[in-house]
Amino acid sequence: MNHFLSRNSVDELKPLLEKARQIKQNPFEHATLGKNKTMVLLFFNPSLRTRLSTQKAALNLGMNVIPLNVSQAWGVEFEDGTIMNFDKAEHIKEAAAVISQYADIIGIRTFSGLKSKEQDYGEIVLSQFVKYATVPIINLESATVHPLQSMTDLFTIEEYKRKTRPKVVLTWTPHPRALPQAVSNSFVEWIKKTDYELVITHPKGYELSPQFSKDCTVEYEQGKALEEADFVYAKNWSSFSEYGKIISKEENWMITAQKMALTNDAYFMHCLPIRRNVVVEDAVLDGPNSIVIQQAKNREIIAQTVLSELLKNKSKF
Ligand code: SN0
């Protein structure tokens, strides 16, 4: 593993999940693996879990961490060949090269702008960092995917599953704001490579990009999709076809205790942050089958797993 950008960065997942299990049992076993190594975390957008869990994971390995909210630095130009006479003071070519002088690993959070499908799905920010940095890059949620979250989700399902081939339902939920498709794209990308039964459910018009949902089962009736589910993964996302728009509010798509009763006593999952009584009713989120906090705990474990791999492979750079 040279960078951790998406599911494609991982060849063999099984050994990594096994490694994660060991890390969970003994988080300080490799407390000096990252000695004298520094990770710079760049935040173009807000973060709570990603920031803290990644930093904690690095500390468990003995690394130093420097987080930076990019809004406090110079505006960065990402396009090559532009005349920089507008608002951006610094080109990614210098910025990425300079950060690489201080960092052994760079983590980047950069949400979709939800204005231009081409720009977002072209992953310009992430790909320009990969092009111009000289150290490994970790994706801390980019325009189209959130691999640390999805690998965590998979690890959490592995921990909680009660049968070898659980039914996992990704359900769209209502939300007052237009949100990225990244978490859902990424969840699908990771889960469809397992042997679980995956069903995606959403109102018409909220189809995910075929780049991710190709070959997946889509059920437009939420109640039908939830039947016999072992895991319910709730998430809102804005429309892909009418790019970045809320095309319908569908408030009756909120996850309620009544809907959870259709399932096979399913666990409730969400990446957080979550809007109470909009995305999910309190009774479900506070109920015994909600594993959202356990998921958040596992973010640390997976970040540590990924960091360990990158540190191990460091000689390649
Ligand atoms: C982000 C998203 O991609 O949906 C990050 C999730 C890890 N979520 C939000 O932006 C939620 C913001 C809100 O207002 O509820």
Side-chain angles (χ1 to χ4, degrees):
M1 198 194 294
N2 299 336
H3 300 285
F4 185 73
L5 305 176
S6 74
R7 178 66 181 82
N8 294 332
S9 304
V10 177
D11 295 331
E12 270 202 89
L13 186 60
K14 266 218 164 112
L16 276 189
L17 293 178
E18 181 47 41
K19 188 184 182 124
R21 265 187 287 275
Q22 284 166 15
I23 287 174
K24 193 159 184 178
Q25 273 167 17
N26 193 356
F28 303 111
E29 193 179 359
H30 301 289
T32 55
L33 183 67
K35 190 165 183 278
N36 295 335
K37 304 279 187 218
T38 298
M39 177 164 64
V40 170
L41 297 176
L42 299 175
F43 291 95
F44 288 85
N45 306 97
S47 171
L48 184 136
R49 276 147 295 277
T50 298
R51 183 174 184 142
L52 295 180
S53 63
T54 311
Q55 183 153 357
K56 176 71 165 27
L59 295 175
N60 293 350
L61 293 167
M63 293 186 87
N64 302 308
V65 185
I66 307 176
L68 177 69
N69 297 331
V70 179
S71 61
Q72 289 162 4
W74 302 108
V76 179
E77 172 61 55
F78 285 95
E79 301 274 354
D80 289 326
T82 45
I83 299 170
M84 287 172 60
N85 63 354
F86 196 49
D87 60 334
K88 304 285 165 47
E90 171 138 31
H91 198 273
I92 180 65
K93 201 164 176 177
E94 287 75 51
V98 167
I99 296 165
S100 303
Q101 306 306 306
Y102 315 133
D104 298 282
I105 294 177
I106 304 173
I108 300 159
R109 161 153 292 197
T110 174
F111 287 173
S112 51
L114 292 180
K115 288 192 179 77
S116 155
K117 186 187 280 189
E118 287 65 39
Q119 239 176 47
D120 287 347
Y121 278 71
E123 288 281 16
I124 177 160
V125 175
L126 201 64
S127 55
Q128 289 292 69
F129 266 104
V130 170
K131 184 169 166 193
Y132 290 123
T134 53
V135 297
I137 304 289
I138 299 187
N139 182 347
L140 307 175
E141 185 173 345
S142 66
T144 66
V145 286
H146 192 358
L148 283 173
Q149 180 66 51
S150 311
M151 187 169 157
T152 299
D153 297 335
L154 208 162
F155 179 66
T156 309
I157 293 174
E158 281 296 295
E159 276 188 322
Y160 280 85
K161 72 181 187 186
R162 293 166 298 211
K163 53 163 107 92
T164 38
R165 197 169 170 261
K167 179 176 176 184
V168 177
V169 178
L170 169 66
T171 178
W172 181 96
T173 52
H175 201 283
R177 292 179 54 213
L179 296 188
Q181 295 111 26
V183 170
S184 311
N185 285 342
S186 194
F187 185 75
V188 168
E189 184 177 50
W190 285 73
I191 298 298
K192 80 182 196 185
K193 281 210 168 182
T194 67
D195 58 2
Y196 307 160
E197 181 188 352
L198 172 66
V199 177
I200 308 172
T201 183
H202 53 71
K204 289 231 162 78
Y206 284 106
E207 288 75 14
L208 292 169
S209 161
Q211 180 190 332
F212 296 96
S213 62
K214 195 166 118 334
D215 302 327
C216 289
T217 306
V218 175
E219 167 57 62
Y220 290 102
E221 232 183 278
Q222 191 189 36
K224 207 162 159 209
L226 292 174
E227 272 170 26
E228 294 303 312
D230 297 296
F231 292 88
V232 174
Y233 197 97
K235 184 71 185 79
N236 168 267
W237 62 88
S238 57
S239 174
F240 176 73
S241 54
E242 289 191 49
Y243 194 66
K245 299 224 157 48
I246 298 178
I247 50 170
S248 60
K249 295 242 177 209
E250 310 280 359
E251 279 153 17
N252 59 342
W253 276 67
M254 177 171 77
I255 295 296
T256 60
Q258 206 179 7
K259 286 183 192 170
M260 290 299 283
L262 299 169
T263 68
N264 180 26
D265 198 24
Y267 289 108
F268 176 81
M269 299 178 75
H270 191 278
C271 62
L272 306 182
I274 194 163
R275 304 277 189 137
R276 282 178 174 264
N277 302 308
V278 175
V279 169
V280 64
E281 170 173 92
D282 281 345
V284 175
L285 192 57
D286 297 329
N289 284 20
S290 169
I291 53 172
V292 297
I293 306 300
Q294 290 89 331
Q295 263 176 283
K297 167 66 199 174
N298 282 341
R299 288 293 309 274
E300 176 189 338
I301 310 303
I302 293 304
Q304 195 170 332
T305 307
V306 169
L307 281 175
S308 304
E309 282 299 292
L310 292 175
L311 286 169
K312 237 176 48 191
N313 292 351
K314 187 72 193 8
S315 55
K316 285 188 190 161
F317 287 85

